Amino acid sequence: MSDDDEGGSGLMGWVIFILIFGVGNAILYFTTGIFIIPIPRR
Amino acid sequence: MIDTDRCQATLPAREPIAAPRHAVKPAPTFLSKLMRLPRMAGSCALRLGGITAPLCRGGWWIAWAIAIGILPVMISFAFGIPGHQWFSALLLAALCLGLVREDAWFRGMGLIGLTFAAHSVVVIALSTAAPQRTSAILPHANAYWQKQQTWIKTGEDPEYRLEAWVPAHLQLLAASSLFTFTSLGTVTFGQGFYEVDLMNFYNAQLLARSQSLPLALLLGWHVWSVLRGLGYLVLTFEIISLSLAVWSGKRLSSWRTRAGRWGAGLGLLAADGVAKFLLLDVVRQQLEINLL
């Protein structure tokens, strides 16, 4: 399977990867996740 | 009768229509560049899976599962610093990408299950040996144990009422699906370690205050909680696979396989509800009788 055919290679791809999956999810989790994820008892 | 084959053979081959020389490929707009970013991120996620996939070949996934399950929490315990749950989650999600990429669902679920099992054994052992020190690295674990203690002794817990836990569990399913999709499993694993550790600490305290240790462990890790854990194990693997397929634009699994995983995962979550409904009071009574 070729991974590079969508332009995912290179430093810019990894920066975008970290921004979306790292920073983006951290923002999403701390702004909405901690409110919408319930802790069901047991 | 006309011999069509011969007629076609004598016709000159069609020349492809050449694009006009003045036609220039339009420059990508800001919006079109922006639209490519998710695909770039997805391709990198797929590449990361390509890096981690060889690490889980053969029986190596077993060693990785045990290492991810126990090393971060032991380091956290040694230094008295929380955060191991998210560190383990990141490592587990990275390894899962490799197995999702290969659609190796059996090893994938084995990896997730064994990681959580190894983690639970160590956290229960640490919580039994040094409850104060361990509770410092397990957020909200002590408060959870206090609530559980009240429930075992009195049978009273508003959160166990049907009208409370059904909406809470549906909300959890929706939130978990959303965050598994957006984070390729990292948030779900982090939340999973957090919730499992609440149970682990509670079980350790229960063991210290019970007559029969096997009975306390067997009933303390409630059967409905185990079913829920297994349900989310299956669903999380499936949603990571679905997410990676969407982000990267690659077909990673068949719809039949996906349907099977959704069915198994949702079935286990339904079994969680049924088991809780049927066994809640029986389990509580046995836990209460078993207390010292």
Side-chain angles (χ1 to χ4, degrees):
Chain A
M1 187 185 294
S2 169
D3 306 337
D4 300 339
D5 53 358
E6 295 291 348
S9 61
L11 186 64
M12 182 54 77
W14 289 106
V15 170
I16 300 299
F17 171 79
I18 291 166
L19 282 175
I20 290 181
F21 291 115
V23 180
N25 273 289
I27 292 169
L28 193 63
Y29 180 75
F30 287 111
T31 54
T32 59
I34 52 173
F35 301 111
I36 65 170
I37 301 175
I39 309 293
R41 297 291 302 283
R42 285 73 72 176
Chain B
M1 188 173 287
I2 301 167
D3 189 343
T4 52
D5 287 347
R6 191 170 294 173
C7 283
Q8 279 177 2
T10 56
L11 285 173
R14 279 189 182 179
E15 290 290 330
I17 300 166
R21 287 191 180 181
H22 61 273
V24 181
K25 197 176 177 184
T29 61
F30 174 73
L31 193 65
S32 69
K33 281 182 182 173
L34 202 66
M35 297 291 278
R36 286 188 60 207
L37 297 183
R39 186 54 52 84
M40 282 175 77
S43 294
C44 280
L46 205 62
R47 289 189 75 204
L48 181 60
I51 295 166
T52 59
L55 300 175
C56 293
R57 300 230 168 100
W60 279 102
W61 64 269
I62 296 172
W64 280 108
I66 294 169
I68 294 171
I70 69 173
L71 287 181
V73 69
M74 288 181 80
I75 293 167
S76 208
F77 178 80
F79 292 98
I81 304 166
H84 60 93
Q85 292 157 334
W86 288 102
F87 192 66
S88 290
L90 269 173
L91 295 175
L92 182 58
L95 283 185
C96 268
L97 283 180
L99 295 169
V100 160
R101 183 191 153 110
E102 296 184 340
D103 202 26
W105 60 269
F106 185 78
R107 270 184 294 153
M109 290 175 197
L111 174 80
I112 301 170
L114 188 58
T115 302
F116 275 89
H119 179 84
S120 296
V121 169
V122 170
V123 172
I124 290 173
L126 293 175
S127 303
T128 306
Q132 291 286 341
R133 190 174 174 83
T134 312
S135 73
I137 61 163
L138 305 177
H140 310 123
N142 213 8
Y144 188 83
W145 157 239
Q146 300 302 330
K147 282 186 179 179
Q148 285 292 85
Q149 211 173 5
T150 307
W151 168 68
I152 291 171
K153 287 179 179 171
T154 66
E156 283 300 315
D157 190 338
E159 291 176 52
Y160 263 151
R161 288 185 189 148
L162 208 61
E163 65 270 24
W165 65 254
V166 170
H169 281 240
L170 291 175
Q171 190 182 335
L172 180 68
L173 176 61
S176 162
S177 302
L178 171 71
F179 277 96
T180 304
F181 191 87
T182 59
S183 71
L184 297 168
T186 309
V187 169
T188 308
F189 289 141
Q191 189 72 20
F193 281 116
Y194 165 69
E195 293 192 21
V196 161
D197 283 345
L198 297 179
M199 288 291 291
N200 288 331
F201 187 79
Y202 147 59
N203 266 271
Q205 303 319 303
L206 197 62
L207 286 174
R209 292 160 178 81
S210 295
Q211 300 167 46
S212 164
L213 301 189
L215 189 67
L217 196 60
L218 187 72
L219 297 177
W221 249 107
H222 316 137
V223 63
W224 51 86
S225 302
V226 174
L227 289 168
R228 187 164 73 243
L230 291 173
Y232 277 110
L233 187 158
V234 179
L235 285 180
T236 301
F237 185 88
E238 166 52 27
I239 298 171
I240 295 172
S241 170
L242 194 63
S243 174
L244 188 61
V246 170
W247 285 98
S248 67
K250 306 284 182 193
R251 189 172 185 269
L252 298 175
S253 191
S254 69
W255 288 111
R256 183 184 287 261
T257 306
R258 291 198 185 286
R261 291 197 290 243
W262 276 103
L266 293 175
L268 284 161
L269 294 190
D272 158 30
V274 173
K276 201 188 325 255
F277 184 74
L278 295 176
L279 302 173
L280 185 71
D281 214 43
V282 178
V283 168
R284 189 200 68 77
Q285 284 170 3
Q286 292 305 311
L287 287 172
E288 188 185 15
I289 292 165
N290 195 35
L291 283 176
L292 286 171

